[in-house]
């Protein structure tokens, strides 16, 4: 198993800090050769990064000496390959459409005009949100991340410790980012969520991830999240979903009827076709939908200003204006290829702990570079609706 490299900094880390796992001997070039679908993401994420350039397969001198296909590669399921293809396509779309100023940070009205987003907001909530927007800034938007969920947990914990995220802070997210929004709004601690993530990862490592992750995730969320989750989330979190019609369109949801409705929304937001379940799409409120990261990688919040958090190195995806990402501390980090692997197949617990620590550290660096006035804005009382 590949491991995260230690970062060179003297900054203190959150609870449960531990020395990084030792780096194992690199596998043979044949065993390490990525599939052609994975290279879509590698090429999109690392344009000129020599480390991520696809290496040619080793050539034997005679036909009898051709190496056999690696056993690990043979065992790779069609579902995982489908997930790789989908994330590779999403990465290319993010680079092509998200490199401009603030694709995920723009207000809903701007996103609607530019990208044709379907905005599901009740008329009676519009004026209340307009007043709220002036007093609860910044909001935080969490990117799609797959199983890199602990990175978002660590970043969220730091922002809560520093006072940037309070009970009123507007949140938005896509895929794994939508799940972290629901977890924050639920009132559960990030450490408890990390332990639950390890339970899910252990289940997937022992029984498989593809085709069954959706059912396992639903069961975990149903047990972990409170019954009044929808009340805590209404008007505060935005869940990004991709609606399929004649062309994919972003769908933003911020009102929920029940706990089950919230869980349905975040699972739909995480629905990688053919990976989360053995079907090409899913239904949400009678709409045919897939993963929200395809159209709204980091959706806007209801705040006047949105700080975006990306679990992947934003510069490798061609994104600008990202507040918190591995770019905050780029030295001695896991490569985009490693992160991509862990996004689809659960890493070991030591790596999950390390991802949490790195998310916390990156958010700490961002907080040190930003004014404390942002905290004061979030502490102002909201007007009565």
């Amino acid at each position: 198993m590949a491991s995260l490299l230690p970062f060179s900094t003297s900054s203190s880390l959150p609870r449960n800090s531990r020395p990084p796992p030792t780096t194992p001997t690199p596998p043979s070039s044949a065993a390490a050769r990525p599939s052609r679908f994975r290279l879509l993401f590698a090429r999109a994420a690392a344009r000129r990064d020599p480390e991520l350039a696809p290496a040619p397969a080793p050539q034997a001198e005679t036909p009898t000496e051709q190496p056999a296909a690696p056993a690990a590669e043979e065992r790779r399921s069609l579902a995982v390959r489908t997930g790789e293809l989908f994330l590779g396509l999403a990465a290319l779309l993010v680079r092509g459409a998200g490199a401009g100023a603030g694709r995920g940070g723009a207000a809903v009205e701007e996103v609607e005009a530019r990208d044709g987003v379907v905005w599901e907001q009740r008329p009676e909530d519009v004026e209340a949100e307009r007043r709220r927007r002036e007093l609860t800034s910044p909001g935080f938007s969490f990117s799609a991340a797959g199983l890199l969920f602990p990175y978002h947990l660590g970043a969220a914990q730091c922002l809560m410790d520093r006072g940037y995220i309070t009970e009123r802070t507007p949140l938005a997210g896509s895929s794994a980012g939508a799940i972290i929004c629901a977890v924050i709004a639920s009132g559960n601690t990030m450490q408890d969520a990390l332990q639950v993530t390890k339970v899910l990862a252990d289940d997937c490592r022992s029984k498989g991830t593809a085709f069954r992750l959706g059912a396992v995730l639903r069961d975990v969320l149903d047990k972990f999240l409170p019954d009044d989750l929808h009340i805590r989330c209404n008007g505060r979190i935005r869940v990004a979903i991709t609606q399929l019609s004649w062309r994919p369109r972003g769908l933003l949801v911020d009102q929920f009827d029940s706990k089950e409705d919230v869980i349905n929304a975040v699972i739909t937001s995480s629905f990688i076709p053919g990976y989360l379940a053995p079907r090409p799409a899913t239904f949400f409120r009678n709409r045919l939908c897939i993963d929200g990261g395809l159209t709204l990688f980091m959706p806007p919040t209801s705040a006047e200003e949105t700080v975006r958090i990306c679990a992947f190195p934003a510069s490798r995806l061609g994104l600008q204006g990202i507040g918190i990402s591995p770019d905050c501390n780029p030295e001695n980090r896991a490569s985009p290829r490693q992160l991509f692997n862990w996004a689809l197949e659960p890493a070991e617990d030591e790596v999950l702990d390390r991802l949490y620590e790195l998310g916390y550290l990156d958010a700490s660096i961002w907080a040190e570079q930003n004014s404390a006035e942002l905290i004061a804005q979030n502490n102002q009382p909201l007007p009565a609706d």
Side-chain angles (χ1 to χ4, degrees), residues 148-167:
L148 299 177
F149 190 65
Y151 181 90
H152 281 335
L153 290 175
Q157 183 62 61
C158 175
L159 295 171
M160 294 166 70
D161 290 346
R162 303 293 183 97
Y164 285 92
I165 292 182
T166 70
E167 293 181 355

Side-chain angles (χ1 to χ4, degrees), residues 46-352:
R47 293 169 288 180
R48 291 182 292 272
D49 188 347
E51 177 191 3
L52 295 177
Q59 300 294 325
E61 295 181 0
T62 65
T64 58
E65 295 176 352
Q66 281 287 351
E73 187 69 21
E74 291 176 350
R75 289 196 297 268
R76 296 185 61 81
S77 70
L78 175 62
V80 174
R81 291 177 182 271
T82 302
E84 292 174 348
L85 177 60
F86 180 85
L87 290 186
L89 175 62
L92 292 173
L93 291 176
V94 167
R95 273 192 59 198
R103 174 179 174 85
V108 171
E109 294 81 4
E110 298 175 41
V111 179
E112 282 180 326
R114 183 176 63 243
D115 301 328
V117 169
V118 180
W119 177 225
E120 285 212 338
Q121 188 178 42
R122 300 180 304 187
E124 60 267 27
D125 297 317
V126 174
E127 184 60 32
E129 178 184 300
R130 186 173 292 112
R131 296 196 303 272
R132 184 182 298 112
R133 180 181 298 180
E134 298 174 357
L135 294 173
T136 56
S137 189
F140 292 89
S141 179
F142 295 84
S143 75
L147 295 173
L148 299 177
F149 190 65
Y151 181 90
H152 281 335
L153 290 175
Q157 183 62 61
C158 175
L159 295 171
M160 294 166 70
D161 290 346
R162 303 293 183 97
Y164 285 92
I165 292 182
T166 70
E167 293 181 355
R168 298 189 300 271
T169 304
L171 306 169
S174 181
S175 194
I179 297 175
I180 184 64
C181 291
V183 169
I184 295 172
S186 74
N188 283 297
T189 70
M190 301 302 102
Q191 281 291 321
D192 286 345
L194 178 60
Q195 297 309 312
V196 170
T197 302
K198 292 179 180 179
V199 172
L200 183 147
D202 181 67
D203 185 291
C204 291
R205 285 194 297 264
S206 61
K207 300 178 182 178
T209 304
F211 289 161
R212 59 184 301 271
L213 178 59
V216 177
L217 180 60
R218 181 180 295 276
D219 183 63
V220 166
L221 293 177
D222 185 60
K223 293 177 180 177
F224 182 64
L225 299 173
D227 291 338
D228 65 345
L229 178 67
H230 58 296
I231 298 174
R232 297 167 181 259
C233 292
N234 278 344
R236 182 186 179 192
I237 78 168
R238 287 177 174 173
V239 176
I241 294 170
T242 296
Q243 176 182 338
L244 299 177
S245 51
W246 66 276
R247 67 178 178 86
R249 300 181 67 187
L251 171 65
L252 285 173
V253 182
D254 78 336
Q255 296 293 328
F256 310 94
D257 298 327
S258 63
K259 171 185 175 179
E260 182 182 10
D261 195 29
V262 180
I263 293 177
N264 287 340
V266 299
I267 289 182
T268 302
S269 181
S270 307
F271 195 90
I272 297 178
Y275 176 74
L276 214 69
R279 56 182 184 274
T282 189
F283 279 95
F284 176 73
R285 297 180 181 175
N286 297 319
R287 292 180 170 94
L288 192 64
C289 301
I290 57 174
D291 192 291
L294 188 66
T295 50
L296 287 166
F297 194 67
M298 284 170 284
T301 70
S302 61
E304 190 70 27
E305 176 187 353
T306 294
V307 176
R308 294 179 289 169
I309 303 170
C310 184
F312 298 99
S315 61
R316 304 288 179 86
L317 294 178
L319 293 173
Q320 300 176 7
I322 306 303
I324 300 170
S325 81
D327 289 341
C328 290
N329 180 43
E331 298 299 324
N332 299 323
R333 303 295 292 259
S335 69
R337 181 183 295 170
Q338 286 176 309
L339 293 175
F340 181 69
N341 289 342
W342 294 327
L344 283 176
E345 298 177 356
E348 298 297 329
D349 286 357
E350 310 87 66
V351 175
L352 299 179

Side-chain angles (χ1 to χ4, degrees), residues 344-366:
L344 283 176
E345 298 177 356
E348 298 297 329
D349 286 357
E350 310 87 66
V351 175
L352 299 179
D353 284 334
R354 194 61 172 164
L355 287 169
Y356 179 96
E357 294 170 358
L358 292 173
Y360 194 104
L361 175 68
D362 292 346
S364 297
I365 294 174
W366 175 86

